[in-house]
Amino acid sequence: MRIDEILKKKRTLSFEVFPPKKNEADRSKIFATIDELKTLSPDFISVTYGAGGSNARNAAEIAGYIKRAGVEPLAHITGGPSSPEDIDRVAGELEALGVENVLALRGDRPADYDAEYCKYFAHATDLMDYLRRGHDFTLGAACYPEGHTECETLYADLVSMKKKQDSGASFFITQLFYDNSYYYRLVSEARRAGVTVPIIPGIMPLVNPKNIARIKSMCGSTIPLDFRNMIEIYSSTPSVMEEIGLNCAVYQIIDLVAKGAPGVHIYTMNNARTAIEIYSRLKKVFGGLFGA
Ligand code: FAD
């Protein structure tokens, strides 16, 4: 089913997985993870895609597995340095597997990129315009509550969001964030800029303190002071850290749902246990799936 249609009917719950390197043990592990996530009846599961299409086959195989498991896949595609032929090949594979939903992205550029890099798909909008001409996917796009790292002002990023909507994005999924006020600001400013489609918040439970530095350098997300203090005190006790990470994620989600977010997308990092824990706590608050 198409995600824009699902969003018209209910608040969505979704997860994100990434394709592991291609060896048998890792493949079985990701399939087992998907089987576990499926028991939570998600509305869709998204599959990431290497910048430049490095793991395209692998990603398509996983999207196909999700589809066969009876869950809607959302296949990410990055344009980046790909040629139109590369994109047609990936899109064709996904269509053959029955995948209907694509999250269209540019992908990160290497620090030393030149004018030739991203020759065809300089932005996600170029990829969306191209996909719309030759393929029939429901398109989603990325957005950034604290602004994209390349953008000088939040306003410029909002203009980009509107361009993505004009290029066919029928929903957005946000970069991860730990302070909900950035999400609320983004939604309110995006509405003023003419963005009308649903903006789904992306939540990544921070259960491993080793990821903190990586999160800051990769996506610039702010970690609130009280959360950082807890991490500093308890980082050497993994079981306590896990509880803190889970509770903070659940707290964020309850607040988001209470204030009307159209869904919640959980970056699971292929860890079904984290998703299951969060789900069971949310169920105590909301009964069924977010009151759907
Ligand atoms: P763009 O939309 O091109 O935005 C990049 C910059 O250009 C922004 O500053 C924006 O404001 C500006 N811009 C956008 N459109 C225009 C335009 N038309 N004209 C001028 N300027 C413009 N990366 C992966 O490699 N694989 C993944 O699977 C993946 N999944 C992701 C999922 C989500 C939900 C998110 C939030 C990010 C994901 N990323 C992924 C990371 C993403 O590729 C990077 O953040 C990348 O740097 C930007 O991608 P984008 O699609 O937002 O690019």
Side-chain angles (χ1 to χ4, degrees):
M1 192 173 180
R2 295 191 176 247
I3 291 170
D4 55 346
E5 291 301 323
I6 304 175
L7 280 160
K8 280 180 199 154
K9 294 188 187 131
K10 70 187 289 276
R11 179 173 282 133
T12 56
L13 172 68
S14 54
F15 301 118
E16 180 170 304
V17 298
F18 59 86
K21 298 221 163 54
K22 204 156 183 144
N23 68 51
E24 263 322 305
D26 284 348
R27 280 177 78 235
S28 320
K29 217 163 137 194
I30 185 70
F31 294 150
T33 299
I34 292 164
D35 292 344
E36 284 188 86
L37 293 176
K38 183 193 162 181
T39 64
L40 307 180
S41 306
D43 295 290
F44 62 93
I45 297 180
S46 83
V47 187
T48 66
Y49 184 93
S54 50
N55 60 357
R57 271 262 149 74
N58 218 352
E61 185 190 10
I62 290 168
Y65 185 87
I66 293 168
K67 184 85 187 174
R68 286 194 303 281
V71 180
E72 213 44 64
L74 169 63
H76 298 200
I77 301 182
T78 61
S82 304
S83 66
E85 294 74 30
D86 293 333
I87 296 300
D88 282 331
R89 195 174 323 114
V90 175
E93 258 183 68
L94 293 172
E95 282 162 338
L97 291 163
V99 175
E100 294 178 289
N101 302 288
V102 164
L103 192 74
L105 301 140
R106 184 198 65 195
D108 283 325
R109 296 189 288 213
D112 58 351
Y113 78 94
D114 58 20
E116 280 299 294
Y117 192 87
C118 293
K119 190 162 94 181
Y120 301 103
F121 304 108
H123 288 294
T125 44
D126 300 310
L127 176 62
M128 285 189 255
D129 292 341
Y130 185 77
L131 285 170
R132 269 182 35 246
R133 283 198 295 272
H135 303 275
D136 179 27
F137 293 114
T138 286
L139 298 176
C143 65
Y144 303 85
E146 297 182 58
H148 184 263
T149 47
E150 284 166 30
C151 234
E152 282 177 14
T153 63
L154 184 64
Y155 179 72
D157 231 17
L158 294 166
V159 171
S160 302
M161 267 181 96
K162 175 69 168 63
K163 284 185 186 164
K164 291 185 192 190
Q165 177 179 281
D166 293 344
S167 288
S170 57
F171 63 95
F172 285 93
I173 300 181
T174 77
Q175 181 60 281
L176 57 95
F177 59 90
Y178 293 95
D179 178 343
N180 288 358
S181 62
Y182 290 113
Y183 171 79
Y184 299 131
R185 179 187 66 175
L186 177 82
V187 174
S188 124
E189 294 298 319
R191 298 298 177 232
R192 280 155 54 103
V195 175
T196 53
V197 300
I199 302 172
I200 302 173
I203 300 294
M204 187 163 107
L206 189 45
V207 291
N208 182 350
K210 285 193 196 126
N211 289 336
I212 294 171
R214 213 158 58 92
I215 285 166
K216 191 74 202 153
S217 66
M218 266 172 55
C219 45
S221 302
T222 306
I223 298 175
L225 184 62
D226 50 356
F227 192 12
R228 268 188 285 140
N229 284 340
M230 285 188 257
I231 292 166
E232 212 171 290
I233 296 165
Y234 295 108
S235 61
S236 57
T237 318
S239 58
V240 177
M241 246 334 287
E242 191 181 346
E243 270 311 304
I244 292 171
L246 288 169
N247 280 311
C248 287
V250 170
Y251 176 87
Q252 265 192 287
I253 295 170
I254 293 171
D255 180 61
L256 289 163
V257 171
K259 295 195 176 120
V264 178
H265 186 68
I266 301 180
Y267 295 103
T268 62
M269 304 303 285
N270 291 0
N271 183 347
R273 203 169 81 96
T274 303
I276 290 166
E277 276 294 328
I278 289 178
Y279 181 85
S280 70
R281 290 167 202 217
L282 289 175
K283 211 169 165 193
K284 285 184 198 152
V285 180
F286 296 112
L289 260 190
F290 299 141

